[in-house]
Amino acid sequence: KIVGDMLSSENQYRENLQKVITTYSEPLKKWHLHKVSHETLFGGIPSLMQLSESLITELEYALSRWNPEKTSIGGIFCRHKDFWDSFESYANSYTSAAQLLKEKRVHDSSGFTTYVDSLRGNSVHTLESLLLVPNQRLPQYSKMLSELCDLTPTNHRDYEDLKKAAEE
């Protein structure tokens, strides 16, 4: 059940990343947002999207061939050495992105705020809230991996990888 929930949660996360790209990043790239500003706001999203898609593929595969004695979920996370680094990198750049958005909204002479708000449309997600999603995701991974580790016998082949991944 936890692995199924993990997959469902990852699909939701990927959908939110896709919203960042299609609702905001691509239109703002075509708009007159400076290239450096665009990179500050959205630079880490493509690598997080790629990691999410890879994780979904591997979780789907694991679930389709589920064997309680042999299936390794912790191993999926441990194999992706760049997984945790990508989140750390994104978290480090998020402060700059949030500051840039705040500045653009306060000192808006270019119509940025109006344009960004028009991109949002009827969506409940603001650009700010969607850019925060990756920072919220890391604790979710740790929680799910810890729960799975707690339910896994210490002699199971995946136990050490789950423990290691949960502690990352």
Side-chain angles (χ1 to χ4, degrees):
K1 178 174 175 0
I2 291 175
V3 179
D5 290 347
M6 188 180 286
L7 176 59
S8 176
S9 174
E10 191 62 29
N11 276 308
Q12 178 71 41
Y13 171 66
R14 180 187 56 185
E15 286 176 25
N16 284 330
L17 291 177
Q18 189 60 49
K19 286 176 190 174
V20 172
I21 294 168
T22 57
T23 304
Y24 295 105
S25 177
E26 290 173 353
L28 282 167
K29 187 180 279 187
K30 294 174 187 170
W31 192 67
H32 52 83
L33 182 65
H34 191 274
K35 188 175 181 175
V36 173
S37 295
H38 189 274
E39 181 65 25
T40 299
L41 291 174
F42 306 109
I45 299 295
S47 63
L48 293 175
M49 180 72 151
Q50 185 177 11
L51 284 169
S52 179
E53 289 172 347
S54 176
L55 185 58
I56 288 169
T57 299
E58 292 191 52
L59 288 172
E60 287 174 340
Y61 182 80
L63 281 169
S64 73
R65 300 191 182 329
W66 187 260
N67 179 328
E69 304 299 319
K70 296 181 180 177
T71 301
S72 174
I73 301 302
I76 292 171
F77 287 87
C78 289
R79 277 194 301 276
H80 290 283
K81 302 284 187 214
D82 57 347
F83 188 82
W84 307 111
D85 291 342
S86 293
F87 279 96
E88 185 176 332
S89 175
Y90 184 85
N92 290 338
S93 66
Y94 172 78
T95 304
S96 297
Q99 184 63 34
L100 176 64
L101 276 175
K102 184 178 177 181
E103 288 172 11
K104 288 223 170 269
R105 287 195 181 273
V106 170
H107 306 292
D108 182 17
S109 61
S110 64
F112 176 83
T113 299
T114 303
Y115 185 63
V116 168
D117 291 346
S118 75
L119 293 173
R120 178 181 176 193
N122 293 328
S123 173
V124 296
H125 299 290
T126 64
L127 175 55
E128 288 85 350
S129 69
L130 285 171
L131 290 176
L132 186 59
V133 167
N135 288 339
Q136 297 167 332
R137 187 70 182 144
L138 205 52
Q140 293 170 349
Y141 287 129
S142 294
K143 181 178 184 265
M144 289 183 282
L145 289 165
S146 291
E147 288 174 7
L148 191 56
C149 188
D150 290 346
L151 295 171
T152 302
T154 56
N155 64 343
H156 190 281
R157 67 184 287 249
D158 196 32
Y159 180 80
E160 290 301 320
D161 282 342
L162 282 169
K163 186 176 173 183
K164 180 179 175 186
E167 293 172 353
E168 286 280 336

